[in-house]
Amino acid sequence: MKKIFSAFLLLTFVLFFSQEKPMFWQDIQRFKQLDQENPPAKNAILLVGSSSFTKWTDVARYFPDKTIINRGFGGSRLTDLNYYANGLLNPYQPKQIMIYCGENDFADNDQLKADVVVDRFKTFYKKIRSKFPNIEVDYISIKYSPSREKLWPQMKEANKKIAAFMKKQPHSAFIDITKVMQDGQGNVRKDLFVEDMLHMTPEGYRLWTSVMKPYMK
């Protein structure tokens, strides 16, 4: 009987660890490890979202007078923020949350309707509010990456609808970074992007900083 039980335990162990982990599972585990090694500061500004935050590795240098916790991960979508909401929100006691996400939702499915992305954001917003009813929550508009130009119409519609939603919410703002990334003719400045025409140069982040700073608590 003991041998059968031991075999069952071994099989359970093997099956558990051989199962494929959900996308970005490792990123969330890494955040947990970071929090264990350095307990997160209270009343910080929490950045949550996709690779435009992930690659902003020196974000603290752009906001030297602010305490920033950067929890951007990979090519995450709003569906991923909703899936990992507990892991992204529960460990922290921020005074403000800034979100950059939604661009990859469209890249993942170029037929995706703007309303679907807007609803995904509203779901995440409600998750935030259930835990933090009174803090400042800001959404940074989807940037118009040159490599994803065919998706701009859906992105522009999503930005417009999320802006309208955020305008009606207390302690909330829609931060439009699209205009500061344009040239004098209203075209997206390609020089603000690295070679992949998706991720940004330090100058791109400097411009984001100039727009974000007035909203920061």
Side-chain angles (χ1 to χ4, degrees), residues 195-210:
E195 197 171 316
D196 64 6
M197 288 291 124
L198 175 61
H199 299 105
M200 294 191 300
T201 64
E203 175 63 10
Y205 284 119
R206 189 191 69 77
L207 291 173
W208 274 35
T209 300
S210 68

Side-chain angles (χ1 to χ4, degrees), residues 167-180:
K167 189 175 182 179
K168 297 177 181 178
Q169 308 308 311
H171 312 298
S172 301
F174 177 87
I175 302 175
D176 187 0
I177 48 79
T178 62
K179 291 181 176 57
V180 77

Side-chain angles (χ1 to χ4, degrees), residues 16-204:
F16 177 80
F17 285 98
S18 64
Q19 284 178 347
E20 187 176 344
K21 300 300 182 186
M23 191 179 293
F24 306 118
W25 183 86
Q26 291 287 358
D27 296 271
I28 305 304
Q29 303 314 303
R30 182 171 57 85
F31 294 155
K32 289 180 180 179
Q33 184 176 352
L34 289 173
D35 293 337
Q36 288 177 352
E37 294 170 355
N38 294 293
K42 295 180 180 179
N43 298 314
I45 298 172
L46 177 63
L47 305 184
V48 178
S50 57
S51 58
S52 290
F53 276 168
T54 313
K55 291 183 176 293
W56 203 351
T57 55
D58 59 346
V59 62
R61 188 171 64 81
Y62 289 76
F63 304 100
D65 59 334
K66 306 295 182 185
T67 301
I68 307 287
I69 299 173
N70 189 346
R71 291 297 178 260
F73 59 104
S76 57
R77 304 149 298 182
L78 285 161
T79 49
D80 302 304
L81 266 57
N82 281 312
Y83 184 80
Y84 291 113
N86 288 337
L88 293 169
L89 301 175
N90 289 350
Y92 311 108
Q93 298 179 48
K95 64 180 177 181
Q96 183 173 10
I97 294 177
M98 290 185 154
I99 304 155
Y100 182 80
C101 201
E103 185 177 356
N104 291 318
D105 294 63
F106 289 112
D108 190 48
N109 177 4
D110 61 9
Q111 299 300 312
L112 198 63
K113 300 294 185 183
D115 284 342
V116 175
V117 174
V118 175
D119 285 342
R120 290 175 181 178
F121 170 70
K122 288 179 179 178
T123 298
F124 187 60
Y125 181 87
K126 289 175 184 176
K127 289 176 185 286
I128 293 174
R129 282 299 180 219
S130 67
K131 183 167 179 60
F132 305 113
N134 299 314
I135 70 168
E136 179 74 15
V137 179
D138 303 318
Y139 181 85
I140 297 171
S141 64
I142 299 171
K143 72 183 190 299
Y144 303 134
S145 304
S147 62
R148 294 173 169 173
E149 187 170 356
K150 69 175 184 177
L151 301 171
W152 287 1
Q154 294 126 285
M155 292 176 175
K156 289 178 180 179
E157 185 181 350
N159 275 338
K160 182 179 179 181
K161 291 184 174 180
I162 292 174
F165 170 76
M166 292 297 273
K167 189 175 182 179
K168 297 177 181 178
Q169 308 308 311
H171 312 298
S172 301
F174 177 87
I175 302 175
D176 187 0
I177 48 79
T178 62
K179 291 181 176 57
V180 77
M181 298 182 75
Q182 295 174 348
D183 61 20
Q185 286 70 50
N187 300 311
V188 174
R189 287 178 53 187
K190 293 184 178 180
D191 63 299
L192 299 178
F193 294 83
V194 296
E195 197 171 316
D196 64 6
M197 288 291 124
L198 175 61
H199 299 105
M200 294 191 300
T201 64
E203 175 63 10

